[in-house]
Amino acid sequence: MSRLIVISNRVQAPSADSNGAQGGLAVALTAALREADGIWFGWSGETGETGDLAFTTYDGVTSATIDLPEQDVDEYYNGYANRTLWPLFHYRLGLTEFERDFQGGYERVNRTFGEKIGPHLRPDDLIWVHDYHLIPLGWVLRQQGLKNRLGFFLHIPWPPTPLLTALPEHRRLVEALFAYDVVGFQTREWLETFHDYVRNQMGGSVGEDDTVTVGGRTITAIACPIGIDAEAFIASANSLNAAATHARMMTSSIGRSMIVGVDRLDYSKGLEERFNGYQRYLETRPDAHTNVYLLQIAPPSRAAVQSYRDIRATLDALSGRINGAFADIDWVPLRYVNQGFPREILAGIYRAARVGLVTPLRDGMNLVAKEYVAAQDPDDPGVLILSRFAGAAEQMEQALLVNPYSADDLADAIEQALVMSREERIARWRPMFGNVRREDVIWWRKRFTAMLAQP
Ligand code: GDG
C-alpha cells in the first residue's frame, strides 16, 4: 500500500500537548496517516534558522517540521499568505497588499519545503498538499524530478477571474497548480470560477469527467466539500461537559433565547456586518428584543497583520456601542468574548442556542455551520442562519440563507428564526443533519484520496 504524505503550512498531528483535543480536519488526516504509515510535513510555527526536519512519532503518526527564519515568516506567512492571497481570494481587493518581497518570500519558502521534504519521499507515496500557503510546492517537487501522484486541496474560495488577474503573478501561480494531478475545491462555484480562468486566461479547456487541459497537460479538478468529524462532534454534544455548559447557559439567560456566533476573529467572517444586523434587529423590534441575547465567541487570530488589529478595534468599539445603547440593568444584548473554548464546551453552547448565526462575507466552507447543526437536540433543534456566500450554503439550503451585507436581511432572519415553529425547525434541520453526517470529514478525505490514487 502507498504511504500518504500530507503537507500543510502547520502540522496538526497528535502530540503530547494536544491532549486528544484536535480539530476535525486533524482527526481525519491523522487517521489516514496512521492507516497508511504516512508523514505530516509542515512549519513548526517557530522562528529560527531552517535546519533539518525534526521528526516525531506520537500515537502512531509521524510528523516532521522545520523552523523558518523571521524574514520568511514575515514575507511568506504574514506577508504573501495572509496579506496578499487571503484577502484577494476572499474578494477583498482593497485589503490586498502587493509586495514583491512577499512573493519572493513565498516562493523561497515553497522551495525550502521542497528541498527539505523531497529526500524523504518514496516513489509510490501519494502526496497531498493543503491550501494557499503552498500552491507552488507541487511545481517545486516536479522540478526535482518527482513523478508521484500529487494532489492539492484549496480550503478557501477561488476568486473570480477579474479579481485574480489583479495579482501581478497570477499566471505563474495558476500554472503551478498544473503540476498537481488532482486539484480539489470546496464547492462547484469555486470549481467553475477556476474553469473560467483556465478558459479565458490560459486558452485551456474543460473536459468530461472533471478534467481540465492546458497545452499538453491534463489534470483532474473537482469540487470536494470538506465536512466535520460528525460522529465525534455529536458525541461531544452529548457529553457531560456539554450538558453542564448547556445548564450553565440556561441559568445565565433565564428564559431568554440565545443567538450564537463562533468565528476566528477575521474580517472575512462578517462580524461587523453581523453586529450591525443584530443592532438593526434591536432597533426595529423593541418589544421582542429583551428576550434574546447574542453570544459572539471570537478568538483573535493573525494579530501580526494590521487589518486584523483593525477589525478587532472596530468590533471592540461596536460591541461597546451596542451594549451602551441597548443594555438594561438586568440585561446585556451582546456578550462578546475574545477567547476560545474546548470542543465539548462549544458543543454545549451550540446546543443551548436557539439560533446559530453564521454570516461570513465569503468563506471556503465554514465548519461552524456544520458543527452547530450536528450539536442540536433532534426533538427541539435550533435554526441556522447562514450566509449565501459561505461554501456550506451549497450543501445546507434548508438554512435561512441571508445576504450578510444587508442589516435588514439579517434582522428579518433573526426574527424569523426566533418565532419559527418547532415543526418547521425540525423539517429544516433534518436534511441538513443528514448531510453533515453523510458528507463528513472522513467521506471528504476518502473521496479525495481515492481520486489521487487513481492512475
Ligand atoms: C478554513 C476556511 C474552511 C473556533 N473557535 C473555537 C473553535 N473554533 C473552531 C470551530 C471550527 C474551526 O475553528 C473554524 O473553522 P471554519 O471552517 O469556520 O473557518 P477557518 O478557520 O477560516 O478555516 C474555511 C476550513 O478552513 C476547513 O477547510 O471551512 O472556509 O476559511 O471547527 O469550531 N474551536 C474550539 N474553541 C473555540 O473557541 N474548540
Side-chain angles (χ1 to χ4, degrees):
M1 185 170 111
S2 300
R3 294 191 310 178
L4 177 68
I5 303 295
V6 171
I7 311 174
S8 59
N9 175 53
R10 295 297 304 277
V11 171
Q12 302 168 46
S15 67
D17 299 336
S18 64
N19 267 328
Q22 291 175 285
L25 170 67
V27 169
L29 292 176
T30 297
L33 289 165
R34 197 178 283 128
E35 280 165 32
D37 190 24
I39 306 175
W40 193 334
F41 289 98
W43 171 38
S44 61
E46 301 293 327
T47 309
E49 280 316 303
T50 308
D52 291 332
L53 282 159
F55 281 81
T56 44
T57 300
Y58 185 84
D59 202 11
V61 179
T62 300
S63 55
T65 57
I66 45 167
D67 298 347
L68 291 174
E70 202 173 330
Q71 189 185 350
D72 282 0
V73 175
D74 280 347
E75 293 174 352
Y76 149 82
Y77 180 69
N78 292 322
Y80 204 72
N82 287 335
R83 289 159 73 179
T84 306
L85 294 182
W86 177 274
L88 183 68
F89 280 46
H90 286 87
Y91 298 47
R92 300 298 290 270
L93 197 50
L95 295 177
T96 305
E97 297 177 45
F98 301 95
E99 297 286 341
R100 282 216 178 119
D101 288 351
F102 291 175
Q103 200 236 342
Y106 182 68
E107 298 213 349
R108 190 169 64 247
V109 170
N110 272 270
R111 277 199 303 277
T112 304
F113 266 60
E115 282 158 20
K116 295 287 173 188
I117 295 169
H120 297 280
L121 301 175
R122 298 179 191 159
D124 66 339
D125 285 343
L126 295 177
I127 301 167
W128 190 5
V129 178
H130 287 261
D131 231 359
Y132 58 102
H133 314 86
L134 299 175
I135 293 172
L137 180 59
W139 185 85
V140 171
L141 291 169
R142 291 284 186 232
Q143 292 300 106
Q144 296 174 10
L146 190 104
K147 301 272 189 295
N148 299 45
R149 296 281 292 171
L150 266 175
F152 176 82
F153 187 79
L154 185 68
H155 290 257
I156 65 175
W158 182 267
T161 305
L163 274 180
L164 185 52
T165 53
L167 189 70
E169 55 284 350
H170 60 93
R171 176 87 192 216
R172 185 176 167 82
L173 192 74
V174 185
E175 274 171 0
L177 268 184
F178 280 78
Y180 296 97
D181 299 294
V182 181
V183 174
F185 298 93
Q186 299 272 28
T187 65
R188 292 280 335 155
E189 186 182 346
W190 318 135
L191 175 63
E192 281 162 17
T193 50
F194 173 69
H195 287 165
D196 181 72
Y197 182 96
V198 167
R199 286 198 189 97
N200 294 317
Q201 296 288 320
M202 305 177 100
S205 61
V206 177
E208 300 288 306
D209 304 334
D210 293 319
T211 57
V212 172
T213 302
V214 172
R217 172 77 177 149
T218 297
I219 64 170
T220 299
I222 55 170
C224 187
I226 195 168
I228 61 167
D229 188 356
E231 297 312 319
F233 208 86
I234 294 164
S236 293
N238 289 315
S239 68
L240 289 176
N241 274 337
T245 305
H246 186 278
R248 186 174 156 203
M249 297 313 301
M250 289 305 179
T251 310
S252 85
S253 65
I254 36 169
R256 293 189 174 110
S257 298
M258 179 188 7
I259 304 170
V260 77
V262 176
D263 307 77
R264 248 183 339 92
L265 214 171
D266 191 300
Y267 49 78
S268 67
K269 303 294 181 184
L271 292 167
E272 186 182 354
E273 293 76 5
R274 186 179 311 169
F275 285 6
N276 286 332
Y278 180 57
Q279 181 169 3
R280 184 67 52 88
Y281 172 81
L282 297 175
E283 283 161 1
T284 53
R285 280 83 170 170
D287 299 340
H289 76 218
T290 48
N291 292 326
V292 301
Y293 70 99
L294 169 60
L295 170 63
Q296 177 62 55
I297 295 173
S301 67
R302 304 177 191 169
V305 177
Q306 184 60 39
S307 48
Y308 286 75
R309 293 200 290 269
D310 292 345
I311 180 71
R312 186 164 184 189
T314 301
L315 294 173
D316 284 348
L318 186 53
S319 59
R321 275 205 301 281
I322 291 174
N323 279 335
F326 294 94
D328 208 334
I329 49 172
D330 59 353
W331 172 68
V332 175
L334 174 58
R335 299 185 192 174
Y336 176 48
V337 183
N338 287 136
Q339 59 164 310
F341 294 91
R343 185 148 43 130
E344 291 184 348
I345 305 282
L346 209 56
I349 295 172
Y350 286 141
R351 185 174 278 219
R354 170 56 71 218
V355 182
L357 198 49
V358 183
T359 56
L361 303 180
R362 215 33 91 167
D363 216 333
M365 176 52 59
N366 195 296
L367 298 179
V368 170
K370 296 186 174 185
E371 291 166 359
Y372 177 74
V373 164
Q376 295 309 300
D377 174 354
D379 295 325
D380 191 16
V383 180
L384 176 65
I385 297 178
L386 179 61
S387 162
R388 56 179 69 256
F389 304 133
E394 268 190 17
Q395 290 163 297
M396 307 179 94
E397 56 194 24
Q398 299 81 6
L400 294 182
L401 294 179
V402 291
N403 175 350
Y405 292 94
S406 162
D408 289 322
D409 225 28
L410 289 174
D412 289 351
I414 290 170
E415 177 167 33
Q416 193 187 344
L418 288 169
V419 301
M420 193 181 286
S421 69
R422 195 165 77 104
E423 206 180 11
E424 183 176 351
R425 282 186 276 123
I426 293 175
R428 286 177 179 270
W429 172 80
R430 262 201 198 129
M432 290 195 281
F433 182 65
N435 178 277
V436 167
R437 265 191 130 161
R438 202 170 46 250
E439 299 186 352
D440 68 355
V441 75
I442 297 155
W443 171 88
W444 166 79
R445 182 256 288 173
K446 288 190 170 156
R447 196 161 160 244
F448 191 93
T449 52
M451 283 294 211
L452 189 56
Q454 270 173 30

